[in-house]
Amino acid sequence: MNTLKLDLIIVGGGVAGLWLLNRAVKDGLNAILLEKDTLGGGQTIRAQGIIHGGTKYALNGVLTQASNTIKEMPQRWRDCLNGNGEVDLTSVEVLSEAHYMWSKGSLGSRMTTFFATKAFRGRVEEVSKSDRPKVFSNSKFKGSLYRLNELVLNVPTVIDALRAPVEDRIFKADLNQAEIQIHDQQIQSITFKKHDLTLETAQLVVTSGEGYESIASQLSLEQPEMQKRPLHMVMVKHDHNLPTFAHCIGTGSKPVATITTHPCSDGKQVWYLGGDVAETGLDRSPSEQIQFAKKAISDLLPWVDLSDAQWSTFHVNRAEPKQSSLSRPDSAFAQKVGNCIVAWPTKLALSPDLADQVLPLCDKVPSDTDLSPLKVLPKPETAQPLWESEF
């Protein structure tokens, strides 16, 4: 039986775990990542790829903690995309340099005044008619349009960019199939008998999203508790060259719909619909959700002909630390229990913030530099978007 001593084992290979692995290795920690299936195969690949700056959390005219926590994230991601940030994302495909916000009619004087305040300087700017994206250049569009300081990224390329520098530290292994020794809330060892391999680590970080539930049971963790906030997302595959990246806002505190556009391997595009359409669709069947979304898009963008489009839906749970009334957490979350750290980014954009919270909780100990015994473990593939398999 080969035994390896490590500083850090990360369980869960979404963007949060991969970002943390890159940061940990740069900080001198002897770290590895274990993923039971595909990299990014959970919430990451189902994300819309928006690097939020917090504007959509202030639609009621009030800057919340969530809005303030996330406002620095677009610039941190931009630094990484430009090659001078904390991780190297220079190979990532940027789908849009900005996300937009539109309304069918006037935004109203209160909202317009609010967006003009010092708090939103640099985050939001009104778009003139001559600068509108193609989808909003139609003469039938009569609403207001704002440009947000929010990137939209091709998520699979983010996964590949994060895995590349630390490829030799990423392995496919299921913690639920391991034999784990625990004493006084300290994880002593993790043994994969099938591979004659035992791992000893100073700390274990769980960034497995919804997978935390089964791991918590195995590690006898009663805290922290997890909540799931479900969505019923919609995908629209079409032949139009109408890249659309925007929140449509109404009178409520959440976007009526959030649309992002993604390339397909067959040359077509997919509009990916989130926002209130997804949040209110839980009790609708797939066919009912499609009819609801068709009506919503027809109402919001009546000049776009989607009569020949293909429609599909799927359910996804957002896994987060438990909140009162199942409300949305305001920031990334990390809590240490013994030598286990449980972490949720709560948003794709907050992955850098999660690493900021986790790394101070990690100890560096004498460990083995020869990682060759880990070669007995297979390598996980990068997850592919659902629109590559659902149509």
Side-chain angles (χ1 to χ4, degrees), residues 219-289:
L219 299 179
S220 301
L221 295 175
E222 296 182 2
Q223 294 291 333
E225 293 183 78
M226 181 180 73
Q227 71 180 28
K228 300 175 188 176
R229 289 194 299 129
L231 295 171
H232 193 175
M233 304 292 287
V234 179
M235 300 178 288
V236 191
K237 190 173 184 178
H238 57 78
D239 292 312
H240 297 293
N241 183 22
L242 279 179
T244 305
F245 304 90
H247 305 291
C248 178
I249 61 174
T251 56
S253 61
K254 295 179 181 178
V256 175
T258 294
I259 305 175
T260 52
T261 307
H262 305 266
C264 296
S265 57
D266 61 4
K268 295 187 177 184
Q269 293 184 343
V270 160
W271 276 4
Y272 190 20
L273 310 184
D276 208 45
V277 168
E279 294 196 23
T280 62
L282 304 179
D283 294 329
R284 290 191 283 266
S285 68
S287 59
E288 290 170 340
Q289 178 70 336

